[in-house]
Amino acid sequence: MLIKRIMSSTLTENVRKTVLENGLTVLTKEVHTAPVVTVQVWYQVGSRNEEPGVNGIAHQLEHMMFKGTLNRPIQFGRLFSALGSDSNAFTSYDQTAYYGTVERNKLKALLVLEADRMQNSQIEPEQLASEKRVVISELQGYENSPEYRLNRAVMQAVFPNHAYGLPVGGTKADVEKFKVEQVQKYYRNFYTPDNAVLVIVGDFQTANTLETIKEVFGKLPKRQEAGVISPSSPSSPSSPSSPIVLREPGAGRLLQVVYPLPDANQPDVPALDVMDYIFTEGRNSRLHQALVESGLANEVTASVTSLRESGWYEVLVTAGSKQDLKKIDSVLSSAIANVAEKGVTSEEVERAKTQLTADVILSNRDITSQAMRLGNDQTTTGDYRYTDRYLAAVRLVKPTDIVAVINKYLTKEARTIGFFEPTQKQITEVGDKPDSAHTTENFSPVAPVLFSEVMKYLPPVDLATDALLAVVGKGSRREDIAQILPQQFKFTNGLRILLLRDHSTPTVTLSGHIQAGTEFDPDNQAGLAAFVAENLLHGTNSKDVLTIAKVLAERGASLDFQSYREGVHIEGDSLAEDLPILLEILADVVKNCTFPIKELELHRQQTLTDLQHELDEPSEVARRIFVQSIYPKKHPLHTFPTEESLQQIQRQDVIDFKAKHYRPDTTVLALVGDFDLDKVRSLIKNEFGNWEVSGQAPRLKYPPVSMPEKIVSVNPVLPGKTQAVTYMGCTGINRYDPRFHAALVLNQILGGDTLSSRLGAEVRDRQGLSYGIYSYFQAGKNAGTFVIEMQTSPEDSTKAIASTRQILQQIHQQGVTALEVETAKRTLISNYNVSLANPEELTDRILMNEVYELDKVELHSFTDKIQKVTLDQVNQAARELLHPDQIVVVTAGPSVSPEKSIR
């Protein structure tokens, strides 16, 4: 039934494959649902093509591909930003991919840029030296995670003689030794058209676009076969008999088990994926029941990895507080053995198949994801139609197939197991750090000159495209989504509904907001709002927790509640036919949840364990101390959960908070998808119309907050960490401030993009001090915060902070240029239009416009407001909102040390 209703058309039905004379494989798929297009180039090289000593070179080369070409000696991130392209890249085991999603008239410009860097990228000593620092900062961020360190040790043991056992990003020891000649050799060998797949999905005409591709890419030469580096040969994975044990600083115990599996093209893969869903997907899954419901584990996750030459099944268990890893391992092994001996039910298999298939469909609603699927399938399996064949095979999986693959692959002899045993609890030593405000730096404010270069090197935009496409695909095209307004309804109980039809896929996206956020937490019970939100699905008057989970799982639907400062966010999605079920469950839990004591106590233990892990993460520690340093005690933003506050929460407190704050008149629901407006309105009225309200909704008054008189610097030290995370900033503006749109433009110039902004160009790109640096104005209903975040090596933190403050000082005093403003405006407008093509981002935008009670035309007037921002308004915002001498600076992680050079 499920397959029939969602597989009437395949994912690759209208995909066209073309191979140019130079060997470039081109995959094109027209999707005329929104005026955007995605361009992706997938190179068939990844960490699989490495060996010890050059581990990480594919990843290093990916970074270097943004450094400019012979024709365009400029940071490519700036060019992508000027086009308004949502661009990025990643390196994996089997491939390296570069992707950008833009408005449709910029398709050719993206093609020109990708063809240029396929052949002409510059890899020079000075740039490599700075980018090696950036990569090492990135690797140190991974090393901060005990999960990463445990996984690295286990995978090296599973694949001792194959590159799949090496970390994809590389190691610091290898990265430090890379020479220019080595990176250039990898570039010459692998970045050629006959080793690449070009994927284009979106609003374009295939025939015209293929002509453009031949014009732009057709002249690039094939690689010379001599000297091509072959991937390492497959070898039999290893499985040490005794566990690998890491005893290092950390917050909690971890257990990881890895079983070798066959490559992606082998026929057992669909059954293995169904098996994984039976084991770990949802409350009813076998391992969740055995480990989490029993209190032994806080969380259990698993995944099947299917690659070009091999694969593996990986299970990761986060132990419950004070639980023994050997006991957890014993229960895990028994649960797997029990399934192998007694089998699984037809009901379990059908539910897992439904969840798996629905997940594939729901994850392919936007064009970027559709292109990702095609690119990954083609480069991993050699066939872009792989997912269609895979889903057809999933449909045929039977209970006996599950038992067969468990007995074949999940044997005790085959597995490799790792334990992470923390040697000490996380200790946060908070102390004042010497004021680094006056550190002298060799700082060169070159950004305005570079912005003129952006226009010089930017390929021309095709102005004829829109006129050409206006007559194409009228039968299937959604009108320009930014010009359509959702239908708005308000029921007598105050519930507000926004509905927008979108027939592009047979799915529905639901987004909701309830004014019951953590701002209402009592001082002594911080965490109460989250307790309520996260326990809503744990039982109602008519359904227990497992029944609720089963009803959703049987349809592949999802529903989730997350609390944040100013509200509770509801996220849900389903296939279109299952919307009535999704709405029924949502209405039942918000009206009739019962908060069973057993579920509350299990959740409390999980939350306490989660808190231990959070306080071992530099980013979370820095964020907490940063916020609490800006907002004083008794302020609604100051409070964070602690072990003491979580222990104070009683069941009656949860019931009372729910009764007080969960009300229809503070709830907004937005739905975008394939439905009939009248039917959905009637459904919602039937489910929510009897949700009663009494009295006035609770309100908070946010007290004014003064700026710090000088720079406040704090350095909390976390044992065992290699990367530092810095938060710096001060109070900002709320959503209703008349400077809001000017602040967005200002922020885009300052730090809106980690490659193209002033901060990115100087701190990350020129000096190589940070893997990522960006800024933003958090503008809520009642308050706002201006934040700059960065990740650095501890020896680079002081220098990076000093450079950042100098950029703030420069913009505060001197302002920005007219060219920067125009470029930033174009980027913001383009990014906004691209975002509306993603159903989840569109639904959230519709929702939050209503939550903030903005004008109903805000959905399409936002771009007009950005366009009207002037240079004077941006510079005024810079003078009034940037305060380089009145900020809080928090750097969490290792103790900050003086700079060391990397050669």
Side-chain angles (χ1 to χ4, degrees):
M1 292 272 306
L2 171 91
I3 298 295
K4 275 186 179 179
R5 69 181 198 249
I6 65 176
M7 291 297 290
S8 56
S9 64
T10 68
L11 294 172
T12 58
E13 186 175 42
N14 64 333
V15 175
R16 178 169 170 178
K17 179 180 178 181
T18 307
V19 181
L20 303 190
E21 289 184 10
N22 61 5
L24 178 68
T25 298
V26 182
L27 302 176
T28 53
K29 179 181 181 181
E30 293 186 30
V31 181
H32 299 294
T33 54
V36 296
V37 63
T38 189
V39 173
Q40 304 184 1
V41 181
W42 292 65
Y43 293 96
Q44 297 181 94
V45 58
S47 61
R48 177 177 65 91
N49 305 83
E50 297 171 358
E51 57 191 6
V54 291
N55 181 206
I57 197 164
H59 176 231
Q60 183 72 62
L61 178 55
E62 174 222 312
H63 278 242
M64 297 306 297
M65 287 289 284
F66 286 86
K67 289 293 190 178
T69 65
L70 295 172
N71 302 322
R72 294 177 175 85
I74 182 175
Q75 164 58 253
F76 263 44
R78 297 202 143 208
L79 299 176
F80 293 135
S81 180
L83 281 175
S85 175
D86 181 8
S87 295
N88 213 325
F90 66 84
T91 305
S92 189
Y93 294 96
D94 290 335
Q95 59 274 112
T96 306
Y98 302 82
Y99 55 97
T101 305
V102 292
E103 295 160 308
R104 61 191 173 196
N105 63 326
K106 297 164 183 172
L107 168 58
K108 184 174 181 180
L110 271 190
L111 292 173
V112 168
L113 291 176
E114 291 297 353
D116 189 17
R117 65 175 174 173
M118 181 180 282
Q119 185 178 29
N120 302 313
S121 283
Q122 292 191 109
I123 300 167
E124 298 179 343
E126 185 179 348
Q127 292 179 329
L128 179 60
S130 71
E131 204 62 27
K132 281 161 62 172
R133 293 178 81 151
V134 170
V135 167
I136 288 169
S137 172
E138 179 182 355
L139 297 179
Q140 288 172 328
Y142 302 150
E143 291 284 347
N144 277 354
S145 163
E147 290 91 338
Y148 176 84
R149 303 200 301 270
L150 179 62
N151 176 262
R152 192 179 70 177
V154 172
M155 289 299 292
Q156 285 176 335
V158 176
F159 293 101
N161 302 308
H162 192 281
Y164 285 161
L166 302 173
V168 171
T171 63
K172 180 181 178 183
D174 281 1
V175 170
E176 284 180 326
K177 293 182 291 189
F178 289 156
K179 300 287 192 295
V180 168
E181 296 75 23
Q182 290 177 297
V183 182
Q184 288 173 337
K185 185 178 180 181
Y186 256 73
Y187 175 63
R188 289 192 303 271
N189 281 330
F190 293 109
Y191 280 61
T192 57
D194 50 321
N195 194 47
V197 177
L198 171 64
V199 187
I200 305 175
V201 176
D203 200 12
F204 62 92
Q205 268 194 321
T206 302
N208 289 15
T209 299
L210 284 175
E211 288 302 313
T212 302
I213 291 168
K214 289 172 185 174
E215 171 197 336
V216 173
F217 282 90
K219 55 183 180 252
L220 303 185
K222 288 185 178 183
R223 64 180 161 186
Q224 301 300 313
E225 291 301 324
V228 171
I229 300 168
S230 301
S232 49
S233 302
S235 57
S236 299
S238 176
S239 55
S241 55
S242 56
I244 297 162
V245 181
L246 294 189
R247 291 187 174 88
E248 299 174 357
R253 295 179 176 86
L254 302 169
L255 176 149
Q256 184 167 51
V257 184
V258 174
Y259 300 88
L261 296 179
D263 66 77
N265 277 313
Q266 295 305 309
D268 287 334
V269 170
L272 286 163
D273 281 337
V274 175
M275 173 205 75
D276 173 41
Y277 271 66
I278 291 170
F279 275 144
T280 63
E281 186 65 28
R283 292 289 293 256
N284 291 282
S285 62
R286 293 295 188 103
L287 296 185
H288 191 281
Q289 286 290 310
L291 295 169
V292 180
E293 295 292 331
S294 66
L296 281 172
N298 209 56
E299 185 180 24
V300 55
T301 59
S303 61
V304 173
T305 299
S306 302
L307 300 179
R308 192 166 175 166
E309 294 180 357
S310 187
W312 56 88
Y313 186 51
E314 173 187 334
V315 182
L316 178 66
V317 183
T318 304
S321 180
K322 301 176 182 175
Q323 296 296 335
D324 181 66
L325 290 178
K326 290 183 179 177
K327 181 178 180 182
I328 291 173
D329 179 37
S330 174
V331 172
L332 171 66
S333 298
S334 296
I336 293 173
N338 184 57
V339 176
E341 180 184 344
K342 298 181 180 177
V344 292
T345 66
S346 295
E347 181 187 8
E348 281 180 297
V349 173
E350 291 307 309
R351 184 167 65 234
K353 286 158 63 173
T354 299
Q355 289 175 296
L356 194 162
T357 306
D359 280 352
V360 172
I361 301 301
L362 289 166
S363 66
N364 278 276
R365 288 177 292 178
D366 65 281
I367 63 166
T368 303
S369 298
Q370 291 177 46
M372 286 281 182
R373 177 77 60 173
L374 294 171
N376 186 71
D377 284 353
Q378 180 66 36
T379 54
T380 302
T381 71
D383 183 5
Y384 70 89
R385 296 161 298 193
Y386 173 79
T387 296
D388 284 337
R389 292 192 288 105
Y390 166 83
L391 288 176
V394 165
R395 178 176 54 178
L396 302 177
V397 171
K398 304 183 296 295
T400 52
D401 298 326
I402 304 302
V403 174
V405 293
I406 292 173
N407 284 321
K408 185 174 181 181
Y409 298 109
L410 269 59
T411 63
K412 274 210 165 186
E413 301 75 41
R415 73 179 192 156
T416 301
I417 185 167
F419 293 162
F420 182 86
E421 295 275 8
T423 54
Q424 63 189 99
K425 287 188 176 179
Q426 175 266 329
I427 303 168
T428 302
E429 302 167 359
V430 181
D432 283 340
K433 188 178 124 187
D435 187 353
S436 60
H438 302 293
T439 303
T440 304
E441 199 47 54
N442 176 24
F443 171 61
S444 53
V446 294
V449 178
L450 284 177
F451 270 94
S452 64
E453 289 184 350
V454 168
M455 311 318 294
K456 174 180 169 185
Y457 294 119
L458 200 63
V461 170
D462 185 2
L463 299 176
T465 304
D466 282 351
L468 180 67
L469 284 165
V471 295
V472 179
K474 287 219 176 225
S476 59
R477 184 191 301 282
R478 184 200 303 156
E479 296 293 328
D480 186 349
I481 197 67
Q483 301 305 318
I484 295 179
L485 294 176
Q487 297 263 351
Q488 295 179 289
F489 306 101
K490 187 174 182 179
F491 296 151
T492 54
N493 59 8
L495 176 67
R496 289 171 283 165
I497 308 293
L498 300 107
L499 305 175
L500 182 62
R501 286 187 301 176
D502 173 10
H503 299 305
S504 60
T505 63
T507 63
V508 175
T509 304
L510 180 150
S511 192
H513 174 95
I514 302 174
Q515 194 176 312
T518 60
E519 62 186 1
F520 290 110
D521 276 348
D523 288 341
N524 65 334
Q525 292 180 320
L528 177 57
F531 240 69
V532 176
E534 292 161 14
N535 279 280
L536 289 172
L537 289 164
H538 291 174
T540 67
N541 295 330
S542 59
K543 300 179 186 71
D544 65 15
V545 59
L546 295 181
T547 302
I548 292 171
K550 183 180 176 185
V551 168
L552 291 170
E554 285 175 343
R555 288 154 181 84
S558 68
L559 183 63
D560 190 37
F561 297 84
Q562 289 291 331
S563 60
Y564 66 104
R565 285 298 180 188
E566 294 188 338
V568 171
H569 187 66
I570 306 167
E571 287 185 12
D573 53 33
S574 73
L575 302 172
E577 292 187 10
D578 295 322
L579 178 58
I581 300 294
L582 186 65
L583 290 172
E584 179 191 327
I585 295 291
L586 173 61
D588 192 23
V589 298
V590 297
K591 293 189 298 184
N592 307 313
C593 55
T594 54
F595 302 112
I597 191 69
K598 177 190 171 188
E599 297 297 333
L600 280 178
E601 288 309 313
L602 180 60
H603 180 74
R604 188 197 311 275
Q605 292 310 310
Q606 292 170 344
T607 305
L608 287 167
T609 303
D610 286 342
L611 179 64
Q612 288 181 350
H613 286 271
E614 285 176 11
L615 295 181
D616 189 50
E617 295 177 7
S619 59
E620 178 62 23
V621 172
R623 185 178 72 88
R624 279 187 172 226
I625 296 175
F626 172 75
V627 171
Q628 291 186 323
S629 299
I630 291 175
Y631 299 102
K633 289 182 179 179
K634 305 299 181 184
H635 191 282
L637 299 184
H638 181 87
T639 310
F640 283 85
T642 64
E643 183 177 346
E644 293 73 25
S645 71
L646 293 171
Q647 296 285 13
Q648 292 290 323
I649 297 170
Q650 304 301 313
R651 179 170 181 264
Q652 192 59 47
D653 301 319
V654 174
I655 293 170
D656 292 345
F657 187 97
K658 159 68 173 55
K660 182 177 181 181
H661 295 283
Y662 281 67
R663 309 161 50 99
D665 57 342
T666 64
T667 300
V668 183
L669 298 178
L671 289 92
V672 173
D674 189 12
F675 51 70
D676 179 273
L677 286 170
D678 292 335
K679 287 182 180 177
V680 172
R681 183 184 177 187
S682 177
L683 266 174
I684 293 173
K685 189 171 184 180
N686 288 340
E687 296 291 351
F688 294 90
N690 63 351
W691 190 7
E692 296 178 354
V693 62
S694 62
Q696 294 296 312
R699 297 200 175 276
L700 279 174
K701 186 169 183 181
Y702 276 54
V705 177
S706 57
M707 300 284 292
E709 294 181 3
K710 60 178 184 177
I711 296 175
V712 177
S713 296
V714 186
N715 179 207
V717 177
L718 281 72
K721 303 304 176 186
T722 56
Q723 185 196 60
V725 177
T726 296
Y727 273 63
M728 54 195 298
C730 54
T731 54
I733 56 174
N734 65 29
R735 181 60 182 82
Y736 309 107
D737 193 292
R739 299 166 294 184
F740 175 74
H741 296 92
L744 291 182
V745 176
L746 169 65
N747 184 72
Q748 182 65 28
I749 296 166
L750 171 66
D753 184 289
T754 200
L755 289 178
S756 66
S757 63
R758 290 265 193 114
L759 290 174
E762 178 62 24
V763 179
R764 185 209 186 279
D765 203 47
R766 193 183 77 82
Q767 297 189 50
L769 299 177
S770 172
Y771 168 56
I773 181 168
Y774 44 91
S775 63
Y776 46 93
F777 285 91
Q778 289 179 322
K781 288 186 81 169
N782 299 300
T785 310
F786 169 65
V787 187
I788 298 173
E789 288 183 52
M790 70 177 98
Q791 304 96 38
T792 57
S793 296
E795 60 267 21
D796 290 334
S797 298
T798 300
K799 187 175 180 181
I801 291 166
S803 290
T804 298
R805 281 199 56 250
Q806 287 177 321
I807 292 170
L808 285 176
Q809 190 81 44
Q810 182 195 38
I811 295 180
H812 172 72
Q813 292 177 346
Q814 301 171 23
V816 299
T817 68
L819 190 53
E820 285 179 296
V821 169
E822 289 309 308
T823 304
K825 284 158 60 172
R826 186 164 54 248
T827 300
L828 289 169
I829 290 169
S830 297
N831 286 342
Y832 181 82
N833 290 335
V834 167
S835 75
L836 295 186
N838 183 315
E840 292 182 351
E841 292 189 51
L842 172 62
T843 312
D844 280 344
R845 181 74 67 166
I846 290 170
L847 173 78
M848 294 314 294
N849 285 348
E850 180 62 26
V851 169
Y852 289 132
E853 299 176 330
L854 303 177
D855 190 290
K856 66 178 184 178
V857 300
E858 177 70 20
L859 190 63
H860 62 75
S861 65
F862 173 82
T863 54
D864 297 333
K865 291 173 181 176
I866 293 293
Q867 187 58 52
K868 290 175 182 174
V869 171
T870 67
L871 173 63
D872 288 343
Q873 289 172 331
V874 175
N875 284 335
Q876 180 181 349
R879 290 190 298 271
E880 295 173 356
L881 301 178
L882 302 183
H883 304 278
D885 296 320
Q886 293 177 283
I887 55 174
V888 171
V889 181
V890 180
T891 302
S895 181
V896 172
S897 57
E899 176 195 359
K900 289 189 294 187
S901 62
I902 295 169
R903 300 187 184 279

